[in-house]
Amino acid sequence: MSDFLSTVNSYIWSNALVYLCLAAGVYFSIRSRFVQVRQVPEMIRLMFKGEKSPSGVSSFQALTISLAGRVGTGNIAGVATAIAFGGPGALFWMWTVAFLGASTSFVECTLGQIYKTKDPLTGEYRGGPAYYLSRAFAHTAAAPAMKIYGYVFAAVTILAMGLLLPSVQSNSMASAMNSAWGWSQWWVAVGTVIVLAFVIIGGVKRIATFASIVVPFMAVVYIVLALIIVLLNAGEIPGVISLIFSSAFGLDSAFGAILGSAVMWGVKRGIYSNEAGQGTGPHAAAAAEVSHPAKQGLVQAFAVYIDTLFICTATGFLILSTGAYRVFEGESADGAVIREGGSILPADAEVGPTFAQTGFDTLWSGAGSSFIAISLAFFCITTIIAYYYMAETNLRFLLGKSNTVNVPYIRGTVGSNTTMMLQALILVSVTIGAVSTASDAWTLGDIGVGLMAWLNIIGIIILQQPAYKALWDYEKQKKQGLDPMFDPTALDIKNATFWENYDPATGKYKEPASSA
């Protein structure tokens, strides 16, 4: 089974997907006139603006839901894996895909807001790739094909978010706790399931509240402690920077043979971590209560920077400056060791959280394992919660109008009963992942990420124009000194049915028509 999964993963994560992600980021950057650079001050300002409503969460809460999905084991174990199999230069390619991916994130998240709808079962805002792929071309000749495309994306997302990806998070968390405290991975699985059940059953509001408290706190604590260790090793920083760039471009003879691996692992782990182009960000973006879609598009673009340029970089510099790394030949821990840092890793150290744990131990001997285990516990739990929200959103899309239909002889509607089944599925996935092997868990996760990225990036390349119309409109209104209000009719954006019920003169919503 492991060989079969690896073969499937190699087809999905071929060079074609790597080049597609990079090329799309370059193209969106040029088309948006490098919005990820020009609008950074506005991104920061908007993070703390916006209002909540009975249907929508604030911009900051939507950001933290998005970050909950982005900030997870990919920021710790993922960075370590990228360095181990792609060399230190993989960190440069993670930065590259983050910089380019910020423009991709703006496009997809703005589209998520433009084509959002109101859940007929809960009254909450819902949106994402399945929604914009099927809605944008309604009443055109392409409508049937794009509707099917939306259904395919929704089904793939439920598979990835409900079954494949949660196992990666629980596996890393359980492994770290076992390494730190000797806890049985079964006990970790049970404890995680209890916490998750409490949060996800409470719906998007409870998810938003939980994420807005936990994610910023843990992200700041993690970054600060990692930077303290890096600063204590300040003399190593010039060498680390030189090592990253020489490895990224094959200038160091030791890394020349794995140049392609540096690019592959940097892009793969970069997208796994920041999720730009994967299609996850638009789900959280659509949940926000804003007066203009571009507002949340800008906020979500900055989320990519927070994830990769801040948290992943902190992990990378921590590992490299302390010498807690090994680089292997052949993209496998079974390959020959090309280079080892300071020889401080245990001889039997597995690729993953152990790299960061060993690095933290240089600050306070014995504390590294515990700190990484605690960090992963918070990061991974919030990530799984975000995965559930995205899976549920796509389930709602697939069910459509049947959401509110009562089930004969069974209490509840079709929507509520299938939601309970989804909750059970994700809890089972978490349990299995916690006690399975790390290699299989990561392979399944990569398959899920790759499938979503293929479908979403091709989709937003087809559909991108409304996002630019929204951006130019937003910037035009800002220059006029206005708080931008969105009117899709004036911009000739079709089928944005939610916003067609929005009065820009008063800033008030009429009750939008409910549809999937």
Side-chain angles (χ1 to χ4, degrees):
M1 179 58 74
S2 295
D3 291 341
F4 172 74
L5 292 175
S6 296
T7 300
V8 172
N9 190 39
S10 67
Y11 282 115
I12 294 173
W13 275 102
S14 63
N15 288 336
L17 180 54
V18 172
Y19 297 143
L20 175 65
C21 293
L22 293 173
V26 171
Y27 177 69
F28 293 140
S29 297
I30 294 171
R31 283 295 311 274
S32 65
R33 300 200 296 263
F34 288 90
V35 64
Q36 71 267 47
V37 178
R38 296 186 298 106
Q39 293 290 356
V40 167
E42 185 71 353
M43 293 175 189
I44 297 172
R45 185 186 74 84
L46 288 171
M47 276 197 299
F48 304 102
K49 297 290 184 180
E51 299 293 332
K52 294 186 289 185
S53 74
S55 297
V57 300
S58 69
S59 288
F60 182 72
Q61 286 181 316
L63 171 69
T64 56
I65 292 174
S66 174
L67 282 173
R70 299 175 198 269
V71 179
T73 189
N75 298 83
I76 299 175
V79 174
T81 305
I83 292 172
F85 300 146
L91 194 60
F92 170 83
W93 293 106
M94 291 182 78
W95 295 337
T96 301
V97 81
F99 174 73
L100 298 175
S103 64
T104 304
S105 184
F106 171 81
V107 171
E108 64 182 356
C109 292
T110 301
L111 291 173
Q113 261 286 333
I114 291 173
Y115 295 103
K116 71 181 180 182
T117 187
K118 198 170 184 180
D119 190 320
L121 187 65
T122 66
E124 297 163 346
Y125 296 151
R126 300 278 185 180
Y131 291 78
Y132 56 65
L133 290 170
S134 61
R135 285 171 161 295
F137 296 97
H139 310 111
T140 70
M146 296 309 293
K147 186 76 172 180
I148 293 172
Y149 197 26
Y151 280 130
V152 171
F153 182 88
V156 167
T157 302
I158 293 170
L159 174 66
M161 296 292 166
L163 185 62
L164 303 181
L165 288 162
S167 63
V168 182
Q169 304 294 328
S170 63
N171 180 272
S172 292
M173 179 173 57
S175 296
M177 289 182 173
N178 179 265
S179 174
W181 308 312
W183 287 8
S184 164
Q185 289 172 261
W186 276 106
W187 282 111
V188 175
V190 171
T192 305
V193 164
I194 292 172
V195 174
L196 290 173
F198 172 75
V199 178
I200 63 179
I201 291 173
V204 67
K205 292 291 186 178
R206 186 178 293 173
I207 291 171
T209 301
F210 184 83
S212 65
I213 295 171
V214 174
V215 173
F217 172 75
M218 279 310 302
V220 170
V221 170
Y222 181 83
I223 292 171
V224 168
L225 288 181
L227 288 179
I228 288 174
I229 296 173
V230 172
L231 291 175
L232 289 175
N233 293 277
E236 302 294 329
I237 293 178
V240 167
I241 295 173
S242 174
L243 184 64
I244 290 171
F245 281 91
S246 63
S247 172
F249 297 101
L251 303 178
D252 187 312
S253 58
F255 299 118
I258 62 167
L259 176 59
S261 298
V263 180
M264 169 66 78
W265 281 95
V267 173
K268 182 190 290 188
R269 287 291 167 257
I271 292 175
Y272 186 95
S273 179
N274 65 50
E275 300 183 356
Q278 184 185 337
T280 53
H283 297 93
E289 182 70 76
V290 291
S291 65
H292 198 290
K295 288 184 175 181
Q296 201 59 32
L298 291 170
V299 170
Q300 298 297 339
F302 195 73
V304 176
Y305 290 158
I306 295 174
D307 175 272
T308 304
L309 299 187
F310 297 164
I311 303 177
C312 288
T313 297
T315 300
F317 271 73
L318 162 72
I319 290 172
L320 295 174
S321 67
T322 59
Y325 71 93
R326 290 190 185 108
V327 181
F328 297 91
E329 190 176 36
E331 302 183 13
S332 169
D334 295 328
V337 176
I338 297 174
R339 176 168 296 183
E340 186 164 6
S343 299
I344 64 173
L345 282 173
D348 59 347
E350 291 186 8
V351 174
T354 304
F355 284 25
Q357 287 174 322
T358 304
F360 270 108
D361 273 341
T362 62
L363 174 63
W364 185 2
S365 181
S369 294
S370 294
F371 178 70
I372 291 299
I374 293 170
S375 298
L376 279 173
F378 282 103
F379 288 161
C380 293
I381 286 174
T382 53
T383 298
I384 296 167
I385 290 168
Y387 287 166
Y388 166 75
Y389 170 70
M390 288 176 259
E392 184 189 84
T393 295
N394 284 276
L395 178 64
R396 291 273 194 263
F397 172 83
L398 287 179
L399 294 176
K401 293 180 181 179
S402 67
N403 268 309
T404 55
V405 175
N406 286 314
V407 180
Y409 309 111
I410 300 176
R411 236 184 212 184
T413 63
V414 171
S416 61
N417 281 286
T418 51
T419 294
M420 291 177 63
M421 293 172 61
L422 176 62
Q423 291 166 351
L425 174 66
I426 201 167
L427 295 178
V428 169
S429 173
V430 166
T431 304
I432 294 173
V435 298
S436 63
T437 63
S439 59
D440 285 347
W442 275 100
T443 301
L444 287 170
D446 282 339
I447 289 172
V449 171
L451 287 173
M452 289 179 65
W454 269 113
L455 292 169
N456 183 61
I457 292 177
I458 292 172
I460 60 177
I461 288 173
I462 296 171
L463 180 57
Q464 61 188 288
Q465 194 58 34
Y468 303 129
K469 289 182 178 181
L471 176 61
W472 309 145
D473 177 62
Y474 180 83
E475 293 180 338
K476 178 181 177 182
Q477 292 189 52
K478 287 292 293 182
K479 287 181 180 178
Q480 295 171 346
L482 303 173
D483 180 16
M485 302 288 179
F486 185 61
D487 181 1
T489 304
L491 299 177
D492 194 31
I493 296 177
K494 309 293 186 184
N495 304 310
T497 53
F498 176 86
W499 291 97
E500 289 167 2
N501 292 277
Y502 179 72
D503 183 357
T506 63
K508 302 293 184 182
Y509 293 98
K510 303 173 187 176
E511 185 65 21
S514 296
S515 66

